[in-house]
Amino acid sequence: MRRLESDLSAAIFDALNIGLALLDGEKRVIAWNSWLAVASGITAETATGRRLDAIFPNSGLRRLDLAISEALETGTARLLTHSLHPSLLPLRTPAGRSLVHNILVQPVCEKPASKCLVQVTDVTVAARRAEILRERQNARYASVVDSAPDAILTLDAAGLIQFANPAATREFGYASQELVGHHMGLLLEAEAWGKIWPAVLGGEPVHGPVEVVARRKDGSPSYLEISASRWTSDSRVFVTIILHDVNERRAVEEALRTLNQTLERRVAERTADRDRMWRLSTDVMIVAQLNGTINAINPAWTQLFGWDEAGLVGSSMIDFIHPEDRDQFQSILRDLSTGGAPKLFELRLQTHDHRSRRIEWSAVAADGLLQAVGRDVTAEREAEQALQKAEEALRQAQKMEAIGQLTGGIAHDFNNLLTGIIGSMHILKRRVTAGRYDDAERFMDAAVTSANRAAALTHRLLAFARRQPLDLKAVDANQMVQGMEELLRRTLGEQVELTTDLEPALWPAFTDAHQLENAILNLAINARDAMPDGGQLTITTRNAVSHEPVLDGQEEIPDGNYTVICVSDTGAGMAPDVITKAFEPFFTTKPIGQGTGLGLSMIYGFTKQSRGAVRIRSTVGHGTTVSLYLPRHNGPILPPPDKQSHEIPKGDGETVLLIEDDSSVRLLIGEVLRELGYACIEASEGQAALPILISNTRLDLMITDVGLPGLSGRQLATVARQYRPELKILFVTGYAEHATGHTKFLEPGMEMVTKPFALDALALKIREMILQNRTY
C-alpha cells in the first residue's frame, strides 16, 4: 500500500504542467519532474543530488539562491517574475524558443525547513501577448509623441537625453542625434534644472506651471513651462519631460505688463494728484457710510476743526454737527441713500474747542458711500451778517448823527444863552460890589433877554438838547460804585436786591465822573422799572482789550483797552427790535408820563463823547445788561488840586480881536477884556474880521467862536495864520463835540474854552496865552 502511494505521488509529480524541483536542506535536488526535464534538457537522474548552480553553471542564479536560502532558513516563500528577472533558468519551449517563466520558491514543513519546493511556470504566451500589446501601445504612443506640439524628452537616471520628439528638435534647433546622449544642462539653465531634477528623481513629479528658460542652439532664450515624472522599465529609471512653449504668451504678458505699467503709472499719477489734492486742499473732504459713519477724512479737518483722523474715523458725522442742523443732515442722507441727485447744502460743524463753523457741502452717494467736499464759509457768513449789522449800524449812526447835530445845535444856543446870563450877572455883581452903576441897565437887559430866550428853549428840548461838555479825567469806577451803593439802595427800594462784582485790579477810566455817575444812576432806575415785582440788580466792573474794531450790538467798538461797567437786571428784557431803537431820542417803552425816552440817548452821547461805546445784551423774560466801554487811563489817578484863590491877572494894553455872533456873549467878553486892561476890537462874524487881520493893526490875541455864520472860526483862523503866522488864537464854542475833539485841528498857539465858562477862568486863559513864549 505504501509503495502504491509512493508510485501515485510520483506519477502526479510528473503529470503536472509546471516544472517542479524538490531540494533538501543542502539545496540539493531530491526530485525533478518530467516537465522540468523536457524544458531544461536535463534528466532527473542527472539532476538528482546536485545543486542548481551546478546543474546550470553558466546562469546567474544569485536571486534564486537567495530565495531558496530564505525559504529554508526563515520559511518565507518568494516569487521571482520574468519582468524583474528575465533570464533565471535557461529553459526552452517544445518548439525550441526561449521559455519565459516565473519561479515560486516555497518551504516544505515548518521553519527551519528541511526541504523547499521550486515551481517553474511557463508564461511565454502571456508575455508574448503583453509584448505585442506593448508594441502596439508604443506605436500609438510614438505617434502621439511624434505629432505632439510640445517638446518631449526622455532622460535616464544620469540626466542624459535618451529620446527627443520632433517638437523638441524644432524648439531647440538641434537634430535628434545632436540631442541624444547629451546632458539636459545643454538646454536648461543650471539653477532651474538643479532644483527640478533632484525632486523628480526622488519620486516627486513636477506638474506645471513651472516656468524655465531654455537656450536654443542659436543662443536665443526660450520660455517654457515644464512637467516631469519618473518611471521605470526593466529596473531602469527614466524621466519624461514635457516642455510647453509659452513664448507667445510671455510676449503677450510682457506687452500687457508694459501696458499695465503705463496704465499703472497714469493711474498712479492721477492717484497722486488726487492724494495731493486730498492732503493739500484747504477744503474738507470726507468719505462716509450712508448712515453717517466716517471712513476717511483729509488733513484739512485737523486744520479747520482741530479733530485728528484717529478721533473721527469710525465715529458718526452726526455727532459733530450742530444740534439744530442734525435733522437736515439726516434728511439729506436718506435722500442720497435712495439714489437722490448730488446735494448742495450748508451745515454748522462743531470744532474741537467747542466753537462752530459754517460749511457749504457738495455731496454725492457713490458705491454705497457718501463722498463730500466742504468749503468753510464762516467768514463769508460773518461778513454778510457784519455787513447787515454795519448797514443797520450806519443807518442808526446816521440817524443818531442827525439827532446829535440837532441836539448839538440846541446845546450851542443854550450854552450861548447861559453864557449871556451868567456873564451879565457876574459883571453886575462885581460892579455893584465896587459901587459902580454905569451901564448896569444894559447888562441887566442882556441878562433878562438871554434868560427869556433860555426859558423858551428849555421848554422845547431842555432835557435832551443840553449836551454838557465833559471834564475828562482819570476816574476810579470801583470807588464810584462803592460810593453810590447807599444812594442806589434807596433808589431801588426793598423790592430789588443790589449786588456788586468789582474787578480788584480795575484800570482807571478816562471820562467825566459826574456824567458816569448820572449814567449808572439812570441805568439803575431803568432796571428798577423793568422789575416791578422785584429782582436782582448787579453792577460789574472788568477790564477789556479789543485788538481790532468789533461790530457788536448797536455800534462798532474801536480797538483799544477799556474799563467796562455793566449794569444787569433780571427784569422783563427787551426784544431785538426794541434794542435797535433803544438809543433813539424820545423812544421809550414806559407808559406816557413815566419816561421821556432821553435817558439811554444821553448815555449814548456821553459814551461817544468819552470816545467809548455802549452795548446792550437782553433776552425777553431773562433780563438786560447794559455795558459802558470807557477808554482806559494809562496814568495814575491824581488827587484833586488844592483850591486856592487867584487874583485875576490884568492886561498891559495888549490888543485882542474878538469875533462872536451872539451879541450877549460878545458884550460880556468885550467888557471883561476892557476891564482887565486890554484893547478890544469886536466883530460879529468872520467876514467883518478879515480887513482887520490883513491890516497892520497890532493884534496880540484873537478870540473867535467856532460856529460862526458864513466863514467859520476854524476857517478864519486859517486865513489869520496866513497873514499873521505867530498870532495866538483862543477858540470859544458851545458845541460839546468841538471840546472833545479839539486836538484834531488845534495847532501850536491855539487853545479852546467851552461855553458856559467862568469869567475868571476866561481871564486866566487870556493872560496865559498872551504871556506864552513872550520874550522881553
Side-chain angles (χ1 to χ4, degrees), residues 249-268:
R249 189 190 74 188
R250 180 68 179 263
V252 172
E253 289 176 350
E254 185 64 29
L256 183 60
R257 186 180 301 110
T258 301
L259 178 60
N260 287 338
Q261 289 174 349
T262 303
L263 293 175
E264 287 172 1
R265 185 175 66 253
R266 293 177 183 174
V267 171

Side-chain angles (χ1 to χ4, degrees), residues 520-547:
I520 295 173
L521 182 60
N522 200 328
L523 291 174
I525 293 172
N526 286 349
R528 178 200 65 189
D529 295 342
M531 299 183 287
D533 298 325
Q536 182 169 340
L537 177 71
T538 303
I539 300 179
T540 306
T541 61
R542 61 185 175 88
N543 300 322
V545 178
S546 176
H547 296 291

Side-chain angles (χ1 to χ4, degrees), residues 153-154 160-165 169 174-183 186:
L153 302 172
T154 299
L160 300 178
I161 299 173
Q162 302 298 316
F163 168 80
N165 73 337
T169 62
Y174 292 99
S176 177
Q177 59 271 22
E178 291 180 297
L179 290 175
V180 174
H182 283 83
H183 195 273
L186 173 70

Side-chain angles (χ1 to χ4, degrees), residues 219-431:
S220 62
S222 180
Y223 297 95
L224 307 168
E225 280 184 355
I226 186 172
S227 298
S229 61
R230 188 189 71 168
W231 54 279
T232 59
S233 177
D234 297 332
S235 301
R236 295 185 63 191
V237 173
F238 296 94
V239 173
T240 295
I241 295 176
I242 300 175
L243 297 164
H244 178 63
D245 187 344
V246 294
N247 288 284
E248 183 176 350
R249 189 190 74 188
R250 180 68 179 263
V252 172
E253 289 176 350
E254 185 64 29
L256 183 60
R257 186 180 301 110
T258 301
L259 178 60
N260 287 338
Q261 289 174 349
T262 303
L263 293 175
E264 287 172 1
R265 185 175 66 253
R266 293 177 183 174
V267 171
E269 290 172 355
R270 294 194 188 100
T271 303
D273 290 340
R274 288 196 297 269
D275 289 346
R276 192 177 301 110
M277 291 177 59
W278 177 270
R279 288 183 288 102
L280 300 181
S281 175
T282 56
D283 292 342
V284 291
M285 301 180 182
I286 185 172
V287 177
Q289 299 174 29
L290 290 177
N291 63 0
T293 302
I294 299 172
N295 287 0
I297 60 167
N298 71 330
W301 280 76
T302 303
Q303 299 167 10
L304 186 60
F305 300 111
W307 302 104
D308 58 14
E309 186 172 8
L312 287 182
V313 172
S315 302
S316 175
M317 186 178 174
I318 299 171
D319 296 338
F320 302 95
I321 296 175
H322 192 283
E324 296 177 2
D325 296 346
R326 289 176 181 173
D327 289 343
Q328 176 193 358
F329 182 63
Q330 293 277 24
S331 175
I332 291 168
L333 285 181
R334 287 193 296 270
D335 192 21
L336 288 174
S337 64
T338 57
K343 297 290 183 182
L344 291 174
F345 54 94
E346 189 172 304
L347 294 174
R348 287 170 292 174
L349 267 69
Q350 297 178 350
T351 65
H352 191 268
D353 56 1
H354 308 294
R355 295 181 296 111
S356 65
R357 302 199 70 83
R358 284 190 172 275
I359 308 298
E360 187 178 71
W361 292 96
S362 174
V364 66
D367 300 325
L369 295 173
L370 170 70
Q371 300 179 7
V373 178
R375 183 172 63 91
D376 183 12
V377 294
T378 305
E380 294 179 20
R381 299 297 177 262
E382 290 177 350
E384 291 171 1
Q385 294 176 2
L387 179 59
Q388 294 175 356
K389 290 183 179 179
E391 292 173 348
E392 182 61 31
L394 178 60
R395 288 191 291 270
Q396 182 76 6
Q398 290 172 340
K399 182 163 52 179
M400 297 305 292
E401 181 181 1
I403 295 171
Q405 290 173 351
L406 171 64
T407 57
I410 295 172
H412 172 268
D413 292 344
F414 196 79
N415 287 334
N416 275 342
L417 296 175
L418 286 178
T419 302
I421 296 170
I422 296 171
S424 297
M425 297 305 296
H426 183 78
I427 291 177
L428 283 173
K429 180 180 178 182
R430 293 168 92 187
R431 292 200 172 187

Side-chain angles (χ1 to χ4, degrees), residues 642-700:
D642 296 333
K643 293 184 179 179
Q644 299 178 356
S645 60
H646 296 281
E647 182 181 353
I648 299 176
K650 300 290 185 178
D652 192 17
E654 295 90 349
T655 301
V656 178
L657 174 61
L658 171 63
I659 306 99
E660 171 61 61
D661 63 312
D662 188 284
S663 58
S664 298
V665 176
R666 188 172 67 251
L667 172 65
L668 292 173
I669 297 177
E671 184 62 25
V672 169
L673 288 170
R674 282 184 282 272
E675 279 191 357
L676 294 175
Y678 298 102
C680 180
I681 303 174
E682 297 182 11
S684 62
E685 41 88 23
Q687 198 68 32
L690 287 178
I692 302 170
L693 289 171
I694 64 178
S695 69
N696 293 326
T697 303
R698 173 186 172 184
L699 294 177
D700 297 284

